[in-house]
Amino acid sequence: MDFVDIIFVVFALIVVVSAFIVVFSRSIIRSAFSLLFTFFGVAGLYVLLNADFLAVTQVLIYVGGILILILFGVMLTTNVVSVEIKTGTLQTVPAAVIVAVLSGTIAGIFWFTEWHTAPAREGPTTKALGTLFMTDYLLPFEIASILLLVALIGAAMIARHERGTEGGR
Amino acid sequence: MMLESIQTSLSLFQPEIVLCATVLAAILVDLIFRRRPVIVAGTVIAGLIVTAVLVGAEVGVRARIFSGMYVLDPFAHFFKFVILGSALLIVLFSLASKELKTAPKRLGEYYMLLASMTLGMVLMTGASNLLMMYLALELTSISSYIVTGFTREARDSSEASLKYVIYGAVSSGLMLYGFSILFGLTGTLGIYELNQSLLSMPSINWTALLIAGVLALAGFGYKISAVPFHFWTPDVYQGAPVTITAFLSVASKAGGFAMLMRFLKVTFIDLASSTQLASGIWAMMQGINWPLLLAVVSVATMVVGNFVAIWQDNLKRLLAYSSIAHAGYMLMGLVVMSNQGFAAVLIYFVAYLFMNLGAFYVVMLVANETGSESIEEYRGLGYRTPLVGVSMAIFLFSLTGIPPTFGFIGKLYLFAALVNQQWIWLAIVGVLNSVVSLYYYMRIVRNMFLKEVDGRKPLVPISIPVPSAVLLIFLVIPTLGLFLYFGPLVDVAQAAVSMFGF
């Protein structure tokens, strides 16, 4: 195990453990803060893979944007601290069997498959990514912006408060 | 060099650009002419027509554009016409809908979202890169989540929307996971490159490929509501406004099928050992038994759809289960992996477009008057409003596949394709399922014509405005007429199975 492997294991552990807390914690605040570590851990993994731009974006958008919004949402919602999250467990045995089989298969796949590997890219990636967005990936890039526009308008439409009856304002 | 290729791509991408412009124009028009949704609807109609004309001008072109992200071929063009046609009809339906009028303020956005949904579906037909496929699917899905919850005041509608989001998120997550395994195996996302890479590999971990294929199938299966990814369908179809239900059941399925067919054929075809390629039968790569897998899914989909539909009293819900069953029939056409099977699916889609939209249109007209979709509202409808009753009966006969309707031709070609490839048992299951479907479709017909009408109560006809009646007749004519005159359409469908590169 060399140095990179050790760092990988550390980051991977951070991600997995904090993700478990996000899912299993009964307090929504604890879940939200735990998500912080998950996002940071993923950013660390990106750095390890020489994906500098991706790592910075991960921190900026997920930690700086989305997570803060979630926390604001949680804190501004009244009664959220004391709210009981209902997590019922049904059909435990079949679920456990299926999960065991599935995770066994997936783990097996990852262990035994010869994955297609590419050599790590040295140096900054931002410029290369930008060029790709404007050349090979132009169409997905543009369609993604339409997608975001639609999502924004949709969110506004759903959230817009309609006072009283329709038509009156 | 790159600039030139982008310019060429753009010139071949005109229909989609117009559709994008329609989405943006709808937003602007809605802002300028406030509370005048009819103008927005007009903008969308104009945009759809221009798009269809531009697609028509492109017929015959085969090209792979935007660095392999998107292809133009007869197959995509055929589905684009089906999708644009149904989008156009849905906008016309929406103009007559009373249910939508409960939220006049949001109606402008409604039409804009219809346009963006159409754009997503059109992109689905031509996407030839896994990334592009995912984006197109997501554009369709996100627009549909929003319009499903359009009549927000109705509890059903919000519930349907939320269920749709949750199922959609899970299945697109599964699909992305499958795609990531495919990428990990080959290092490429383009489906043509995937095919070459898989074929040239000395050894592939077949289990990995199988898992990737099944996971990807989850995403496609969700869009076409195939069992076991169908759980959202009944609730969403019941809760959404009728117009959206009709649109989802036809166009969304068309997009999903187009993408699934392209993905299966292009990614997993084995050209080297396809000795009969000239006769329209191709061999699939070893490793995954796609025909058997699809046959199992198809049988499960037909059986669940048909048998659960028997117990439904709400027509929207009944038609939802029936649309699941129809997805099962169409999947049979994929099982055979031959041009004949694919052509049968294309023919079936045209039939399905008219008969299913027609049935939903009748449901909408009746609900406009009565505010309910219960089967009880249809009692004696054949005598109260003969036009609506008879039209509905024709659509239902066609959905069952009884002559003299176009639905019969559609089923005939499907079963013929199966029998030609020695899939006799599947054809028998399909026929038996049609018999089951006869029961619940005829239950509606019986309610409309044969149930005793309470003589003391006056027969209240359902008032149908003239434009709605014209539109209804416009849907009935092809349902009946194409039974007699299906030759040209069949020729078109058989020519349209050819995809770029094959």
Side-chain angles (χ1 to χ4, degrees):
Chain A
M1 225 190 211
D2 60 7
F3 186 57
V4 177
D5 283 347
I6 296 171
I7 297 179
F8 172 78
V9 170
V10 170
F11 277 125
L13 271 179
I14 292 177
V15 171
V16 172
V17 170
S18 60
F20 262 98
I21 298 175
V22 173
V23 178
F24 288 109
S25 166
R26 286 198 171 264
S27 145
I28 201 163
I29 300 269
R30 199 163 291 167
S31 285
F33 274 106
S34 206
L35 202 55
L36 180 76
F37 291 96
T38 316
F39 288 153
F40 263 121
V42 172
L45 289 178
Y46 286 148
V47 172
L48 211 60
L49 292 169
N50 277 350
D52 54 349
F53 180 76
L54 216 52
V56 173
T57 324
Q58 166 83 11
V59 172
L60 270 182
I61 295 186
Y62 281 91
V63 181
I66 294 178
L67 191 71
I68 300 295
L69 271 182
I70 292 178
L71 282 176
F72 263 117
V74 167
M75 285 172 179
L76 292 178
T77 314
T78 46
N79 243 348
V80 80
V81 185
S82 58
V83 79
E84 277 281 306
I85 304 174
K86 273 189 198 162
T87 45
T89 36
L90 295 161
Q91 311 275 8
T92 330
V93 177
V97 171
I98 292 173
V99 167
V101 170
L102 268 183
S103 36
T105 324
I106 289 173
I109 288 173
F110 279 93
W111 203 256
F112 294 113
T113 308
E114 252 185 75
W115 296 104
H116 176 99
T117 44
R121 215 192 146 89
E122 297 295 324
T125 57
T126 316
K127 189 181 171 193
L129 276 177
T131 316
L132 276 179
F133 270 141
M134 282 296 129
T135 53
D136 283 353
Y137 290 86
L138 181 68
L139 184 64
F141 184 62
E142 295 300 330
I143 297 303
S145 32
I146 300 249
L147 176 68
L148 288 177
L149 176 71
V150 169
L152 268 176
I153 292 183
M157 189 178 119
I158 291 173
R160 191 162 60 195
H161 189 67
E162 250 158 76
R163 278 170 218 154
T165 49
E166 292 282 350
R169 186 191 260 260
Chain B
M1 175 58 195
M2 193 66 219
L3 201 63
E4 273 169 34
S5 111
I6 290 177
Q7 274 172 344
T8 334
S9 304
L10 278 176
S11 67
L12 290 169
F13 200 61
Q14 282 166 4
E16 288 80 0
I17 293 175
V18 170
L19 213 47
C20 290
T22 309
V23 175
L24 300 177
I27 301 173
L28 283 180
V29 169
D30 185 37
L31 284 175
I32 297 167
F33 304 97
R34 301 191 59 122
R35 313 260 174 93
R36 305 267 292 279
V38 181
I39 301 176
V40 186
T43 315
V44 172
I45 289 176
L48 288 172
I49 291 174
V50 174
T51 311
V53 170
L54 287 174
V55 173
E58 259 178 9
V59 167
V61 176
R62 288 158 173 275
R64 198 153 177 234
I65 54 175
F66 286 115
S67 316
M69 289 291 160
Y70 197 73
V71 288
L72 300 172
D73 52 19
F75 181 77
H77 290 136
F78 188 92
F79 271 106
K80 278 177 197 169
F81 280 123
V82 170
I83 290 165
L84 291 170
S86 57
L88 205 56
L89 286 170
I90 293 300
V91 177
L92 295 176
F93 286 10
S94 306
L95 287 172
S97 166
K98 282 192 184 152
E99 179 185 21
L100 295 175
K101 300 243 161 58
T102 54
K105 271 192 192 168
R106 276 177 273 138
L107 213 47
E109 278 108 337
Y110 166 87
Y111 289 113
M112 173 242 146
L113 288 163
L114 272 187
S116 67
M117 227 162 124
T118 316
L119 173 66
M121 291 162 185
V122 165
L123 290 173
M124 275 162 98
T125 63
S128 66
N129 181 299
L130 298 182
L131 181 66
M132 204 51 226
M133 285 183 162
Y134 171 71
L135 270 177
L137 186 119
E138 209 60 356
L139 180 56
T140 314
S141 301
I142 286 187
S143 315
S144 11
Y145 302 150
I146 305 165
V147 273
T148 300
F150 179 75
T151 47
R152 208 175 40 189
E153 285 68 25
R155 204 184 152 76
D156 276 359
S157 189
S158 318
E159 190 190 319
S161 181
L162 191 63
K163 274 186 182 156
Y164 202 9
V165 172
I166 292 169
Y167 278 111
V170 171
S171 48
S172 54
L174 289 177
M175 189 173 81
L176 279 181
Y177 198 73
F179 285 177
S180 74
I181 295 178
L182 281 176
F183 181 74
L185 284 171
T186 61
T188 174
L189 285 171
I191 52 175
Y192 291 87
E193 289 77 14
L194 263 173
N195 179 264
Q196 281 164 8
S197 174
L198 287 175
L199 281 177
S200 62
M201 250 183 240
S203 70
I204 309 178
N205 184 341
W206 294 113
T207 333
L209 195 59
L210 178 68
I211 296 281
V214 171
L215 286 173
L217 201 61
F220 297 117
Y222 150 80
K223 226 34 283 122
I224 63 176
S225 55
V227 172
F229 315 108
H230 69 290
F231 292 103
W232 59 275
T233 317
D235 290 321
V236 169
Y237 280 20
Q238 190 180 358
V242 190
T243 47
I244 293 305
T245 310
F247 197 40
L248 287 179
S249 76
V250 176
S252 193
K253 249 181 207 162
F257 260 98
M259 207 158 86
L260 174 63
M261 286 156 92
R262 189 186 293 283
F263 174 73
L264 284 180
K265 184 174 175 185
V266 174
T267 316
F268 296 104
I269 193 171
D270 188 352
L271 271 179
S273 51
S274 294
T275 45
Q276 291 174 289
L277 198 67
S279 60
I281 301 161
W282 57 86
M284 298 295 268
M285 251 175 241
Q286 299 296 307
I288 308 180
N289 193 344
W290 281 109
L292 190 65
L293 188 67
L294 288 170
V296 170
V297 173
S298 150
V299 168
T301 309
M302 280 188 281
V303 169
V304 168
N306 279 319
F307 279 85
V308 184
I310 294 176
W311 317 111
Q312 305 306 324
D313 282 327
N314 180 302
L315 270 226
K316 249 161 126 188
R317 212 174 167 82
L318 188 149
L319 285 174
Y321 280 107
S322 117
S323 93
I324 295 177
H326 282 275
Y329 298 140
M330 289 187 264
L331 275 173
M332 291 196 303
L334 270 64
V335 170
V336 292
M337 293 297 164
S338 70
N339 278 353
Q340 204 192 359
F342 274 29
V345 176
L346 300 190
I347 296 165
Y348 203 87
F349 252 112
V350 178
Y352 187 64
L353 165 76
F354 291 113
M355 61 198 186
N356 210 46
L357 286 186
F360 273 115
Y361 192 47
V362 171
V363 171
M364 192 192 95
L365 289 176
V366 172
N368 266 355
E369 287 296 310
T370 61
S372 149
E373 291 119 15
S374 158
I375 196 165
E376 283 306 308
E377 303 292 343
Y378 292 76
R379 190 178 280 251
L381 188 71
Y383 303 109
R384 287 186 284 157
T385 324
L387 173 68
V388 175
V390 171
S391 308
M392 186 66 166
I394 290 168
F395 296 137
L396 294 174
F397 281 132
S398 188
L399 283 167
T400 328
I402 301 175
T405 55
F406 191 36
F408 172 73
I409 305 289
K411 280 222 172 103
L412 194 67
Y413 273 91
L414 272 178
F415 292 139
L418 283 175
V419 172
N420 265 353
Q421 296 290 309
Q422 310 299 324
W423 280 89
I424 310 288
W425 68 268
L426 190 60
I428 293 174
V429 173
V431 172
L432 289 178
N433 265 288
S434 304
V435 175
V436 175
S437 74
L438 182 67
Y439 173 79
Y440 60 82
Y441 288 132
M442 286 315 114
R443 220 178 110 214
I444 308 169
V445 175
R446 194 175 64 119
N447 242 328
M448 290 191 302
F449 290 97
L450 302 179
K451 270 269 179 81
E452 269 188 33
V453 183
D454 196 344
R456 282 160 298 181
K457 277 193 209 155
L459 286 173
V460 190
I462 286 175
S463 67
I464 304 292
V466 178
S468 302
V470 171
L471 191 55
L472 192 60
I473 293 168
F474 176 76
L475 287 166
V476 170
I477 291 171
T479 312
L480 286 175
L482 285 171
F483 172 75
L484 299 171
Y485 193 64
F486 58 89
L489 184 79
V490 169
D491 292 341
V492 169
Q494 276 164 351
V497 289
S498 99
M499 291 180 193
F500 179 77
F502 298 105

